[in-house]
Amino acid sequence: MKTCCYIVPYFGKFPVYFPLFLKSCQWNPSFDWIIFTDNTDKYIYPANVKRVEMSFSELRDFVQSKFEFAISLNTPYKLCDYKPAYGYIFEEYLQDYAFWGHCDLDIIMGNLAYFLTDTFMEKYDKIFCLGHMTLYKNNAANNRIFMSKYKGTALYKHVFSTDSICWFDEEWKDDNNINKIFLSRNKKVFQKDLSFNIYIPRNRFVRRIYVGKNAENNGHGYKNEVYKRALYLWNKGNLYRLFIRNTEMVREDFLYMHFQKRKMKISNTLNTDACNIFKIIPNLFLPLEVNEVTVNNFNSIKKTSVCFHYFEMVVLVKFRRLFKKINSKLKCNQR
């Protein structure tokens, strides 16, 4: 029996770095992925990544067939709210797995087996609290916990019936999410964040860490790590960063790196088919220019690039909002 299968419905154009996503999957042979998609672009899919061609309307009909009430699933983005139900919805695809999970495509995987050992996973019913990757123990009862009442209400019926995004799949907006349902049922949940989730409004890579809601973070559940001048590498299935501390090289490994809303590009000098190592800088995947990273050559290795991410994500957004507000006032004055 394989460790885990990730269910990934995705419709439309894949991220530019999808070939690197596939490569990072390939180096995790004890894990499988099934991608339900209408994307017909040609990629080299490794043996542990299965592509199931399906239109969004076909998927919507398939999901509807699993529920007796009318669901709301008008856009692919709404699928985020259905993620906790994938074990139930796609159960016929998951019979040979001890766990199932969901993950986003805007990530690069590290060495999953290093973190997610069989001994570790068997301790938990649910692993992680964020929508970009969560795993569940695969059995009929566990796969139906999303239907359980929370504070006297079957949340899933409201979530699956409204057009609004409810963030049912993760700890984010409020307590009405799958994590709180599992905890309320005294299920064992691993809540530590092992990912490198990049804080969105920064040019540089700053890690945003889920720490759970507490008094210190005013109930927000997240904190930003102090910026480290580091080199980020994917190397034969391992994802890690290197930095200098007190004249010594320090290595920190991560389960995966999440590039939410970043327009990452692949350098023309990086052969995505043949490479077994590449570095990750804002906002570019590049070949590593040295055979070995040492304390002596660390400072000479390129770790940054010209990046307009902050301008596009913050400045332009504020400008568009201001323009919209001014335009609205002008129209009112003309009436």
Side-chain angles (χ1 to χ4, degrees):
M1 179 177 285
K2 278 200 171 185
T3 301
C4 177
C5 180
Y6 291 94
I7 298 294
V8 188
Y10 192 96
F11 299 90
K13 200 75 174 174
F14 290 146
V16 171
Y17 48 94
F18 185 63
L20 297 180
F21 169 86
L22 293 176
K23 180 175 286 289
S24 73
C25 294
Q26 183 179 9
W27 281 82
N28 284 287
S30 60
F31 294 78
D32 283 349
W33 283 259
I34 303 177
I35 302 177
F36 298 87
T37 184
D38 59 356
N39 189 300
T40 57
D41 294 340
K42 301 299 181 182
Y43 295 97
I44 301 175
Y45 286 86
N48 61 335
V49 181
K50 180 180 179 181
R51 175 185 169 274
V52 177
E53 188 169 340
M54 181 181 289
S55 70
F56 179 65
S57 61
E58 288 172 333
L59 178 73
R60 182 173 56 230
D61 292 342
F62 179 70
V63 175
Q64 178 62 82
S65 71
K66 301 293 181 174
F67 300 98
E68 296 179 354
F69 58 92
I71 66 167
S72 175
L73 186 53
N74 297 322
T75 66
Y77 186 53
K78 178 64 179 174
L79 280 166
C80 292
D81 280 335
Y82 287 84
K83 287 178 178 179
Y86 285 174
Y88 167 71
I89 295 170
F90 298 99
E91 60 186 347
E92 57 260 49
Y93 293 89
L94 300 170
Q95 296 176 6
D96 297 329
Y97 300 92
F99 278 75
W100 67 271
H102 56 74
C103 71
D104 291 347
L105 293 188
D106 56 350
I107 65 176
I108 298 294
M109 240 75 61
N111 187 343
L112 302 184
Y114 172 78
F115 295 95
L116 303 175
T117 65
D118 291 342
T119 303
F120 164 76
M121 293 177 70
E122 278 302 315
K123 298 177 183 177
Y124 299 100
D125 302 295
K126 180 177 182 290
I127 301 173
F128 307 133
C129 305
L130 304 177
H132 31 90
M133 184 183 288
T134 302
L135 292 84
Y136 298 84
K137 187 167 288 184
N138 186 28
N139 59 60
N142 208 51
N143 293 346
R144 286 159 177 78
I145 287 179
F146 75 92
M147 299 179 181
S148 303
K149 287 187 176 181
Y150 177 64
K151 296 181 179 179
T153 302
L155 290 177
Y156 82 102
K157 289 186 177 180
H158 165 71
V159 171
F160 296 172
S161 301
T162 178
D163 292 340
S164 301
I165 304 300
C166 301
W167 292 279
F168 187 54
D169 60 322
E170 64 180 351
E171 292 272 10
W172 173 240
K173 185 180 179 182
D174 53 37
D175 287 343
N176 297 325
N177 59 68
I178 190 62
N179 198 58
K180 289 296 190 287
I181 293 176
F182 265 76
L183 292 173
S184 72
R185 308 244 334 149
N186 296 318
K187 295 297 181 178
K188 295 180 180 179
V189 181
F190 181 80
Q191 301 186 71
K192 185 178 179 180
D193 187 356
L194 302 180
S195 71
F196 193 100
N197 185 30
I198 302 171
Y199 185 47
I200 294 173
R202 292 288 186 275
N203 278 342
R204 299 185 297 185
F205 290 158
V206 174
R207 187 184 179 199
R208 184 133 172 104
I209 309 170
Y210 173 74
V211 294
K213 296 182 179 180
N214 55 56
E216 292 182 3
N217 58 38
N218 297 318
H220 293 303
Y222 296 83
K223 71 175 182 180
N224 287 347
E225 184 184 66
V226 175
Y227 170 73
K228 285 184 173 67
R229 185 172 179 270
L231 175 64
Y232 294 85
L233 296 174
W234 183 90
N235 185 358
K236 295 181 179 179
N238 296 286
L239 177 69
Y240 56 91
R241 67 179 172 190
L242 300 172
F243 59 92
I244 306 297
R245 179 193 292 158
N246 299 328
T247 71
E248 293 186 356
M249 184 81 70
V250 178
R251 169 172 165 168
E252 290 182 344
D253 283 70
F254 298 100
L255 188 73
Y256 62 94
M257 200 166 185
H258 183 215
F259 303 97
Q260 184 180 17
K261 296 185 179 181
R262 281 191 173 258
K263 296 179 180 178
M264 297 292 296
K265 298 180 180 179
I266 300 177
S267 168
N268 293 331
T269 59
L270 181 64
N271 185 337
T272 58
D273 294 333
C275 69
N276 285 325
I277 182 172
F278 56 83
K279 64 181 180 180
I280 310 167
I281 67 174
N283 279 359
L284 191 62
F285 298 97
L286 282 167
L288 181 64
E289 62 268 41
V290 297
N291 293 324
E292 181 183 2
V293 181
T294 66
V295 172
N296 292 331
N297 66 16
F298 180 82
N299 289 330
S300 64
I301 298 173
K302 183 178 180 180
K303 304 173 190 65
T304 60
S305 64
V306 177
C307 178
F308 299 100
H309 176 75
Y310 177 82
F311 179 78
E312 293 173 349
M313 291 300 303
V314 180
V315 178
L316 283 181
V317 169
K318 289 182 178 179
F319 177 79
R320 291 190 187 105
R321 288 176 181 171
L322 179 61
F323 179 80
K324 186 176 180 179
K325 186 176 182 180
I326 293 173
N327 191 45
S328 179
K329 286 185 176 180
L330 288 174
K331 288 182 179 179
C332 288
N333 292 335
Q334 291 172 358
R335 291 175 183 173

